[in-house]
Amino acid sequence: MTKKVFQRILYGGDYNPNQWPEEVWSEDMRIFKEAAINSATINVFSWAKIQPSEEEYNFTELDKIIELLSKENYDIVLATSTAALPAWMFKKYPEVGRTDFEGRHHKFGQRHNACPNSLVYQKYASRLAGKLAERYGLNPHVKCWHINNEYGGECFCETCEKAFRVWLKERYGTIEAVNKAWNLEFWGHTVYEWDEIVLPNALSEGIDYENTAFAGISIDYRRFNSDSMLNNFKMEREAIRNFDQETPITTNLMGTYKLLDYFKWAKEMDIVSWDNYPSYNTPTSYSAMCHDLMRGLKDGQSFMLMEQTPSQQNWQPYNSLKRPGKMRAQSYQAIAHGADTVQFFQLRRSIGACEKFHGAVIEHVGTENTRVFREVAELGKELTTLGDSLLEAVSTNKVGIVFDWENYWGVEYTSGPNKDLKYVDQIHHYYEYFYKKNIPVDMISVDSDFSKYDLVVAPVLYMIKEQLAERLSEYVKNGGHMITTFMSGIVNESDNVYLGGYPGPLREMAGIWVEEIDALAPEQTNTIAFETGEEYECQLLCDIIHTEGAEVVAHYASDFYSDTPVITKNEFGKGTVWYNGTHVEAEGLKQFLDLVVSERSLTPIVEQAEGLEITKRMKNDKEFIFVLNNNKEIYDIPKKLVGKKNILTGKMITEKDTLAQFDVMIIE
Ligand code: GLA
Ligand code: ZN
């Protein structure tokens, strides 16, 4: 970011005074002040109120809300309201709704359900965004635009089908190229005219939502759908920019959400924001990974934590309360990994509809006299004392873990060898190791500049797109080090296999040939044995590997491929490629990665601190070390940190200091 975005940590969240009589608003202001709330995200779902009919716009209420918040010096995050359509629009123009995977065209109801290619939707959504920008864009309290809300889902309507053909023409040029890309000769599905192409849903090539007869077409449809929604975003952005060229523009993302290619999206956003909703049993490493991914989307730029619940959710099967201290710990975890805001959904709990049991800063009792409020208030005061000291602080890390959405789609669309292979789980399996070691990582795209990293970890890099193999090979030749795994180097961007032996274009660098891939059912396991003797269980998939120059680090210890290699290491140019042919249990992965890490001299931020989460951000030569205890055990403070200042308390850390569960220190 070139210009400074926020002057303080935004603390607040989704605020819907429109659901309440005006007397409540002033009470809200009084209560929020007690919690040092300085920001509100407004107008997320108010389209029907602002535009009660096709030709009528009414901003009376929003004017009042903005005036109130401006007077109170709030940093306003102004949403465009286009994620839930007014009923009149569905009634008059049924085409604005989506057709689902089964082919059912939807009526008015719910949200996040506009057909992204509907011209009517596009016209009215951008018109609304423009009107809002014209009216409020120059208000200095409006600090950020929030377009739509949690873009997602897919539409399979006829309008989209036509738009898909146009998109395909642009991508492929000729119908022959389409036939080739999708390998339509298989089952004789060859098409001769563009209008013979139908979109892949349950009525055509789609088997069910996760399975398809032709991955090539289904992956392209995902690309097209992601692009279509991104066009909606860009269209609203342009409408805003006609009136307001300054205020940063975002939309709230959802971590590893599958359907949208967030790396592509982030290029169009001024700042990334995202909604963090871990459930009671989500590992903290998983949340950390999502934060790192969100920071990685814009190459390390800090992001907004646009939503989290102060206490509980409503939409999970079991909506446990966040234990005392947990919300605070989660908030600092976000900041530790690059967030510059802490925002809640929501500020006041609604009285009806499906979110009435969703946590809020002000609960149904209507007062500040709750545990949740006290925790929110305490955090608010702390964040106020931090001022702007942490804003836009950065982290520079030596390990990059590759994440790629098109690969994600490809891996999970593919039929065979094992349906239980889940891309995000595989990424997390590796991430977790570095997390536990407190070796900080960047989550990076396949387009990243790999040379910034000592080690690039690319689990299940199934789809090797144009130039990627060359770029990885250059990186390693020039002294880079890389880890990859089973189901890598298999297909091109259209899901067609690279012939000549797995792992295709990675074969030479890895110095191996994978002859066969065995799939293990949940009740089956194999064993791997390191050359040094230790044995670990493995499951899911087992590559049967021949070395072609690589050294064997571990081999299988049972079944007909017992004694054949499973983990290998190959010197290539000035660098190394490590290959892991199976899904090995965490302890075994640890032994493997310990080896890589010690060879590369990758060090944790603080040595000997397992159990604590330790991260670092830097700003103007100042280093901030975040120490968090997510576990039940009480930990001593790592020796290295003794004598330094904890900026949350202003006190020096002594040898006697300990960290109980959810305790946080930020050390300067
Ligand atoms: C999402 C939405 C919000 C709200 C919350 C509830 O993140 O953006 O509008 O529904 O979920 O958890
Ligand atoms: Zn559609």
Side-chain angles (χ1 to χ4, degrees):
M1 260 174 306
T2 43
K3 79 177 187 266
K4 199 172 158 114
V5 177
F6 302 127
Q7 281 75 42
R8 52 186 177 182
I9 297 176
L10 265 51
Y11 190 56
D14 276 47
Y15 180 45
N16 303 302
N18 48 301
Q19 293 174 13
W20 300 88
E22 279 180 45
E23 321 66 277
V24 177
W25 303 3
S26 47
E27 180 65 355
D28 287 340
M29 293 299 108
R30 181 189 69 76
I31 297 179
F32 296 155
K33 204 167 268 165
E34 299 282 303
I37 280 172
N38 61 28
S39 172
T41 305
I42 53 169
N43 199 43
V44 186
F45 294 105
S46 304
W47 196 347
K49 187 163 261 168
I50 294 175
Q51 195 182 359
S53 69
E54 192 163 6
E55 289 314 327
E56 192 189 345
Y57 287 86
N58 183 342
F59 294 96
T60 319
E61 188 183 63
L62 189 56
D63 282 350
K64 279 190 200 159
I65 295 168
I66 289 188
E67 200 187 299
L68 175 75
L69 295 173
S70 302
K71 213 174 70 210
E72 300 280 341
N73 194 29
Y74 272 54
D75 288 342
I76 299 171
V77 177
L78 185 51
T80 60
S81 255
T82 53
L85 281 54
W88 62 258
M89 204 183 288
F90 267 89
K91 185 171 122 191
K92 181 151 185 212
Y93 306 104
E95 60 175 278
V96 297
R98 285 189 195 166
T99 299
D100 65 21
F101 183 77
E102 275 74 34
R104 300 172 303 185
H105 191 72
H106 285 224
K107 295 187 176 182
F108 175 63
Q110 303 201 27
R111 60 176 180 174
H112 305 150
N113 54 2
C115 166
N117 289 297
S118 153
L119 295 178
V120 176
Y121 171 70
Q122 292 178 3
K123 171 176 145 188
Y124 285 114
S126 50
R127 184 184 284 181
L128 180 57
K131 282 189 185 288
L132 289 164
E134 183 177 22
R135 201 169 182 94
Y136 307 112
L138 299 181
N139 178 333
H141 297 279
V142 174
K143 296 289 187 207
C144 186
W145 285 100
H146 168 0
I147 290 181
N148 203 280
N149 186 66
E150 294 190 337
Y151 278 103
E154 284 173 298
C155 181
F156 298 92
C157 76
E158 283 181 17
T159 310
C160 285
E161 189 164 72
K162 290 189 187 113
F164 183 44
R165 292 177 191 140
V166 174
W167 184 92
L168 289 169
K169 260 186 212 164
E170 235 161 75
R171 184 177 171 90
Y172 294 105
T174 65
I175 199 90
E176 290 75 25
V178 175
N179 280 305
K180 185 159 176 266
W182 298 345
N183 197 33
L184 293 182
E185 190 62 30
F186 176 77
W187 288 353
H189 282 200
T190 309
V191 287
Y192 294 95
E193 306 280 349
W194 289 99
D195 62 3
E196 288 166 12
I197 297 174
V198 293
L199 52 75
N201 67 354
L203 308 176
S204 55
E205 303 293 9
I207 294 169
D208 56 43
Y209 206 72
E210 301 290 337
N211 295 287
T212 171
F214 284 82
I217 181 170
S218 295
I219 292 168
D220 269 343
Y221 203 72
R222 286 260 162 91
R223 291 184 175 119
F224 159 76
N225 183 68
S226 174
D227 284 357
S228 298
M229 287 184 197
L230 183 55
N231 282 338
N232 290 169
F233 172 84
K234 282 155 66 177
M235 178 193 78
E236 287 196 38
R237 184 191 66 193
E238 296 324 310
I240 291 170
R241 286 289 175 246
N242 284 336
F243 300 98
D244 171 6
Q245 285 85 43
E246 294 272 302
T247 314
I249 300 180
T250 191
T251 181
N252 48 350
L253 309 181
M254 298 174 280
T256 58
Y257 178 72
K258 189 171 179 179
L259 298 190
L260 305 179
D261 182 350
Y262 282 161
F263 276 111
K264 199 167 179 187
W265 276 66
K267 290 199 178 87
E268 306 295 337
M269 297 162 63
D270 296 317
I271 183 167
V272 165
S273 65
W274 89 284
D275 301 344
N276 183 28
Y277 288 106
S279 64
Y280 72 96
N281 58 357
T282 302
T284 50
S285 53
Y286 183 83
S287 307
M289 179 181 83
C290 290
H291 288 310
D292 285 350
L293 180 61
M294 296 297 101
R295 189 186 69 244
L297 292 182
K298 282 188 89 66
D299 220 4
Q301 184 183 300
S302 49
F303 58 88
M304 301 168 76
L305 175 64
M306 180 73 92
E307 291 182 27
Q308 66 169 350
T309 175
S311 56
Q312 67 194 146
Q313 280 121 268
N314 65 285
W315 47 266
Q316 308 228 14
Y318 309 103
N319 297 284
S320 313
L321 295 175
K322 290 186 180 176
R323 279 28 224 172
K326 190 167 182 175
M327 179 279 289
R328 174 174 178 265
Q330 288 177 336
S331 303
Y332 281 116
Q333 185 188 42
I335 295 176
H337 288 267
D340 278 353
T341 75
V342 176
Q343 296 159 275
F344 298 107
F345 184 90
Q346 52 189 327
L347 296 190
R348 189 184 265 275
R349 199 185 267 224
S350 55
I351 67 161
C354 60
E355 286 173 354
K356 64 181 182 299
F357 280 124
H358 196 289
V361 170
I362 302 176
E363 310 213 306
H364 284 150
V365 65
T367 70
E368 61 272 48
N369 187 21
T370 62
R371 171 186 74 92
V372 169
F373 184 83
R374 283 189 291 275
E375 290 193 32
V376 170
E378 212 176 291
L379 177 60
K381 281 168 203 148
E382 258 177 17
L383 295 180
T384 310
T385 63
L386 290 177
D388 64 357
S389 58
L390 291 166
L391 293 181
E392 291 169 45
V394 296
S395 28
T396 45
N397 302 321
K398 291 279 149 221
V399 179
I401 299 184
V402 174
F403 193 96
D404 182 52
W405 265 270
E406 295 183 326
N407 184 60
Y408 186 177
W409 303 334
V411 169
E412 297 194 4
Y413 264 141
T414 206
S415 181
N418 191 328
K419 74 168 182 55
D420 293 339
L421 173 60
K422 297 288 174 238
Y423 182 58
V424 175
D425 291 352
Q426 289 303 318
I427 300 293
H428 178 248
H429 195 44
Y430 282 79
Y431 181 90
E432 193 183 21
Y433 165 83
F434 294 98
Y435 173 84
K436 286 192 171 152
K437 279 262 169 179
N438 290 312
I439 298 175
V441 309
D442 285 345
M443 300 295 293
I444 61 175
S445 80
V446 287
D447 302 321
S448 304
D449 172 8
F450 302 127
S451 69
K452 287 201 295 206
Y453 299 98
D454 280 357
L455 178 66
V456 167
V457 186
V460 193
L461 193 59
Y462 167 77
M463 181 185 284
I464 304 281
K465 292 178 270 195
E466 225 184 318
Q467 304 301 318
L468 177 56
E470 288 80 354
R471 290 179 44 248
L472 285 170
S473 155
E474 278 306 296
Y475 161 69
V476 178
K477 268 189 199 150
N478 292 327
H481 304 275
M482 170 179 164
I483 298 175
T484 189
T485 70
F486 59 89
M487 286 298 271
S488 293
I490 308 280
V491 298
N492 67 8
E493 67 259 33
S494 300
D495 202 59
N496 292 317
V497 169
Y498 286 109
L499 298 178
Y502 313 134
L506 306 178
R507 178 172 171 179
E508 195 198 337
M509 313 166 48
I512 56 162
W513 167 42
V514 176
E515 185 179 348
E516 292 181 275
I517 308 167
D518 196 14
L520 309 191
E523 69 277 12
Q524 299 176 317
T525 57
N526 200 323
T527 307
I528 72 163
F530 281 85
E531 300 310 296
T532 41
E534 304 80 356
E535 297 203 346
Y536 301 94
E537 208 168 79
C538 68
Q539 352 162 240
L540 199 70
L541 289 166
C542 294
D543 278 353
I544 303 181
I545 298 173
H546 303 275
T547 55
E548 294 177 333
E551 172 192 323
V552 180
V553 177
H555 56 266
Y556 292 106
S558 71
D559 215 323
F560 79 94
Y561 42 92
S562 184
D563 289 333
T564 67
V566 55
I567 300 178
T568 60
K569 173 188 175 188
N570 192 43
E571 309 290 342
F572 186 70
K574 295 189 200 135
T576 332
V577 177
W578 304 76
Y579 187 94
N580 179 7
T582 190
H583 179 83
V584 60
E585 61 177 311
E587 275 305 297
L589 188 67
K590 178 168 183 298
Q591 173 156 350
F592 165 39
L593 295 180
D594 276 350
L595 209 78
V596 180
V597 157
S598 77
E599 217 173 84
R600 301 278 33 95
S601 312
L602 294 165
T603 47
I605 292 175
V606 176
E607 300 278 354
Q608 261 129 39
E610 266 191 50
L612 295 170
E613 179 179 326
I614 305 183
T615 35
K616 188 163 86 178
R617 287 179 81 180
M618 271 152 334
K619 188 173 171 180
N620 310 331
D621 303 330
K622 269 194 195 153
E623 221 180 73
F624 298 93
I625 296 181
F626 293 74
V627 186
L628 250 109
N629 180 6
N630 298 304
N631 302 317
K632 288 222 166 73
E633 296 81 37
I634 296 174
Y635 293 89
D636 289 334
I637 187 81
K639 297 273 167 296
K640 191 185 155 190
L641 302 175
V642 171
K644 304 209 161 117
K645 190 167 106 189
N646 176 2
I647 61 170
L648 289 175
T649 57
K651 290 196 188 121
M652 292 301 166
I653 292 169
T654 72
E655 249 168 60
K656 279 186 225 131
D657 283 333
T658 54
L659 286 115
Q661 188 177 27
F662 303 136
D663 275 356
V664 181
M665 290 179 180
I666 306 179
I667 295 155
E668 197 187 296

